[in-house]
Amino acid sequence: MTDIASAADERAAPEAPGPGQRFGPVLLGLSAIVPPLMMLREVLRYPQMHFYDYWWVLLDITRDDGSLRPEALLGFRNEHPFVLPSLLFWLSARYGHGLNQPLGLLIIAFGVGCVLLVWALLPRTLNRWQRAGLVAAASTLVFNPHGIHNYVRSMSGASWLLALLLVLAALLAMQRQHRISAIVFGLLASISYGTSFAVWPALALVAWLRGERRRWVATPAVVGVVVVAAWFVLRGPQGGGGSTPTDDPAQALLAGLSMLGMVWTGTEPSIALIAGVAGLAVLALHGRQTSEERSSAAPWWGLVLYAVGCAVMISGSRAAFGESAGLQSRYNSMSAALWIAVLVIAVAWARWPRFRTVAVAGTVLATVALGAPMAQAVRADAPNQNLLAIAARIGHPDGFADRFPEPERLLPRLRALGHYPFSPEFTLGCPDGLEIGDRVDTATWRTPSVGNLREPRPDGRDVVLNVETDQVQGGARMLEGWAISGIERARCIAVLDQTGTVVGGGVVDIPRSDAETQTPGIEIGLGFQAVAPAQPGPLRIAFQFPDGWWIRPLTESPQVLP
């Protein structure tokens, strides 16, 4: 009888979870590491030269000798309060040689912090698989290729990702009834970027859905009103970024809704708009909840309100920039906030339980793949940033007015700070270490025939050093073309004066499909761009290939642009 009873007990006892049940959720959760690692690779591959808005802020917060103007940290940038990003810019310039990549690493840390806060906010009622899946999806959305701009151009993420991090911290604090901390985080978010003003109605909504006392519902709303009123008074008459707000409600609606749905398209505003509407519709269908469910879901509804509030503000000020105004890469964090909330609400309080896995997996796969065109567009701009660094280093960024403002004021400050490209990290990237200012003996460097600058080699292959564009813009001489030695692309470029001193340089490995059709079997990347001072006297342009240096003279009569 004892044996029979034991057997019956064994049959009635639940089976021990198998390895898949034990380790599956752990592995799924660990997959959240992949998106930040992929973005880390993008940051480390991108140039060290900062992007446009960074330079304006640096001009505002520094004196002529590069020292800090502390009062300028309290200023505004395109009407946005910009205290914390300005402080980050200054610390980077003063103690980090003004390098883009280290600041980009900090922005990745902000993104990781956002994912960890999402994990901390997840309802306790979710099982291990659901929690792991939602963390992986949140990581994918925060580090989506759509938002590559925020990381590789770190000056952008210093405001957008920092703001999202602080908003999520405020929502978590309010959910856990740390109300004063929530207000503090909200204030910090508000001095990071103007769109963070949407955190105040979001905090009020969280308090209301949780059934808090009226004073705690009213407090964030009142603080928000005071913050916005102070902003109106202090900002003064300032521009809004180059265009006036649109008075067309349809255009504003297109910009706002497409921003919310931008992760669901490559470049089509109409698809993004439909996706934005669909996301809001899913939320509307999940709107009926019990009081207990509303209390648990409060931070996610707050995150929805924050994302929608950001979309309203952005559409009101940026819609006049065209139908694609809502698809800009830097807005990814706002779209990510909405879709993280959509997924959590749809999984935790499901109306269609059978579709939860499909919804999470489909969002991850689709949004990553659809972000490829945006990411490629940002990557393709990297050579321009490298060329700007060279132009600034030689003191002639005249051809980059759309990227490098007021060089007569900015360059002395960079030199005083030891700021890139005037820091030890600057390089032309030549394997033999050739740099600007070096003087070299070119006696052993080979020169193709002067007539067509094309020299047949013993094995029948050619050397082509083709300078198609040679223009003078202000004090800069801008060069462009393509070059090949046999089947090899150039490794680096140097521009030399008549004494053999390196006075300029450039970038290589630029796709040139037209040139590549003339050289069958050659990989992409034959194009080059270079810059040198527009100084009198003959100049020569040199290319380093695996078989050594080839050099050719430049015309002494370049085209002069007005």
Side-chain angles (χ1 to χ4, degrees):
M1 293 292 293
T2 303
D3 292 340
I4 296 174
S6 298
D9 290 342
E10 288 178 6
R11 289 194 299 270
E15 295 183 4
Q21 291 295 323
R22 290 198 304 269
F23 299 112
V26 174
L27 294 175
L28 180 58
L30 288 175
S31 69
I33 300 173
V34 175
L37 288 178
M38 297 298 290
M39 196 59 72
L40 173 63
R41 184 183 68 164
E42 298 285 353
V43 168
L44 295 179
R45 287 179 172 181
Y46 210 74
Q48 293 284 16
M49 195 71 170
H50 275 293
F51 205 68
Y52 186 66
D53 283 349
Y54 174 90
W55 305 119
W56 281 113
V57 175
L58 197 64
L59 281 171
D60 289 340
I61 65 175
T62 57
R63 301 184 180 92
D64 292 340
D65 61 357
S67 60
L68 177 67
R69 296 176 55 234
E71 70 280 5
L73 294 175
L74 303 177
F76 296 85
R77 176 66 190 148
N78 285 341
E79 298 188 334
H80 290 277
F82 215 66
V83 179
L84 296 186
S86 295
L87 182 59
L88 288 177
F89 291 179
W90 161 248
L91 293 174
S92 170
R94 179 63 181 83
Y95 300 105
H97 291 175
L99 299 173
N100 175 46
Q101 290 178 7
L103 189 56
L105 298 181
L106 180 62
I107 308 310
I108 289 177
F110 290 165
V112 171
C114 291
V115 176
L116 292 176
L117 287 169
V118 167
W119 172 72
L121 279 163
L122 290 176
R124 299 184 182 277
T125 54
L126 295 173
N127 63 42
R128 295 173 64 208
W129 281 102
Q130 291 167 340
R131 294 179 68 86
L134 288 171
V135 169
S139 179
T140 301
L141 288 164
V142 170
F143 292 98
N144 200 279
H146 282 93
I148 188 174
H149 183 121
N150 286 314
Y151 300 96
V152 301
R153 297 174 179 174
S154 58
M155 57 84 207
S156 186
S159 52
W160 292 102
L161 266 298
L162 176 58
L164 179 60
L165 178 71
L166 293 168
V167 167
L168 287 169
L171 293 173
L172 177 63
M174 185 61 80
Q175 177 71 356
R176 295 188 176 180
Q177 296 182 301
H178 303 310
R179 304 176 186 92
I180 301 302
S181 296
I183 298 298
V184 171
F185 284 126
L187 290 171
L188 292 174
S190 296
I191 60 174
S192 297
Y193 214 61
T195 50
S196 297
F197 293 166
V199 71
W200 300 111
L203 291 176
L205 177 65
V206 172
W208 179 69
L209 291 176
R210 285 183 48 80
E212 301 278 358
R213 293 181 179 180
R214 291 182 179 178
R215 64 181 181 183
W216 291 116
V217 176
T219 297
V222 171
V223 173
V225 170
V226 172
V227 167
V228 173
W231 170 71
F232 268 114
V233 172
L234 296 175
R235 66 169 182 160
Q238 299 196 20
S243 183
T244 57
T246 181
D247 58 358
D248 182 356
Q251 191 172 359
L253 197 61
L254 171 62
L257 290 172
S258 63
M259 190 210 80
L260 293 175
M262 63 172 288
V263 294
W264 289 96
T265 183
T267 57
E268 291 295 328
S270 57
I271 296 176
L273 183 146
I274 294 171
V277 172
L280 296 177
V282 169
L283 291 168
L285 292 172
H286 286 77
R288 293 186 62 183
Q289 294 179 321
T290 65
S291 58
E292 183 178 348
E293 290 174 335
R294 283 198 300 270
S295 177
S296 180
W300 305 108
W301 291 112
L303 189 60
V304 169
L305 183 57
Y306 168 72
V308 172
C310 290
V312 170
M313 286 185 279
I314 291 170
S315 64
S317 61
R318 309 295 290 185
F321 284 77
E323 65 178 11
S324 297
L327 301 186
Q328 297 182 47
S329 180
R330 63 180 180 270
Y331 299 153
N332 177 76
S333 58
M334 306 300 99
S335 185
L338 176 76
W339 288 98
I340 289 171
V342 169
L343 289 179
V344 173
I345 291 171
V347 170
W349 300 279
R351 293 294 179 265
W352 310 283
R354 295 181 179 180
F355 296 100
R356 288 182 294 194
T357 302
V358 174
V360 174
T363 299
V364 169
L365 294 175
T367 56
V368 169
L370 290 168
M374 182 74 74
Q376 185 54 38
V378 175
R379 292 188 200 108
D381 187 63
N384 294 318
Q385 286 297 100
N386 278 325
L387 193 62
L388 168 60
I390 297 170
R393 177 61 179 253
I394 65 175
H396 296 286
D398 308 64
F400 297 91
D402 58 338
R403 293 172 181 265
F404 197 78
E406 303 189 22
E408 68 284 352
R409 295 178 57 212
L410 190 52
L411 287 174
R413 300 175 193 218
L414 300 187
R415 293 190 184 98
L417 286 166
H419 188 296
Y420 189 87
F422 300 98
S423 67
E425 292 79 9
F426 175 83
T427 178
L428 290 179
C430 296
D432 61 0
L434 189 70
E435 299 293 352
I436 290 175
D438 290 350
R439 188 168 182 175
V440 294
D441 182 3
T442 62
T444 61
W445 293 11
R446 289 167 288 179
T447 303
S449 302
V450 176
N452 57 9
L453 299 169
R454 186 181 183 103
E455 181 72 17
R457 300 178 66 190
D459 57 4
R461 296 170 181 167
D462 294 334
V463 174
V464 180
L465 311 181
N466 186 15
V467 180
E468 298 171 324
T469 302
D470 187 348
Q471 300 174 335
V472 172
Q473 300 183 39
R477 189 165 179 177
M478 311 296 295
L479 307 165
E480 185 174 346
W482 60 275
I484 184 172
S485 175
I487 62 171
E488 300 290 346
R489 298 168 292 181
R491 293 180 173 181
C492 77
I493 303 174
V495 182
L496 291 75
D497 64 13
Q498 60 269 35
T499 70
T501 301
V502 180
V503 295
V507 294
V508 295
D509 199 21
I510 300 174
R512 282 291 304 268
S513 58
D514 57 335
E516 287 136 20
T517 58
Q518 303 178 43
T519 53
I522 304 303
E523 297 180 359
I524 63 172
L526 301 184
F528 72 85
Q529 295 177 344
V531 61
Q535 61 188 41
L539 294 179
R540 296 171 291 169
I541 186 168
F543 301 82
Q544 188 184 51
F545 294 98
D547 62 350
W549 283 93
W550 287 80
I551 191 169
R552 59 154 288 179
L554 294 172
T555 177
E556 295 191 43
S557 302
Q559 179 186 7
V560 179
L561 297 181

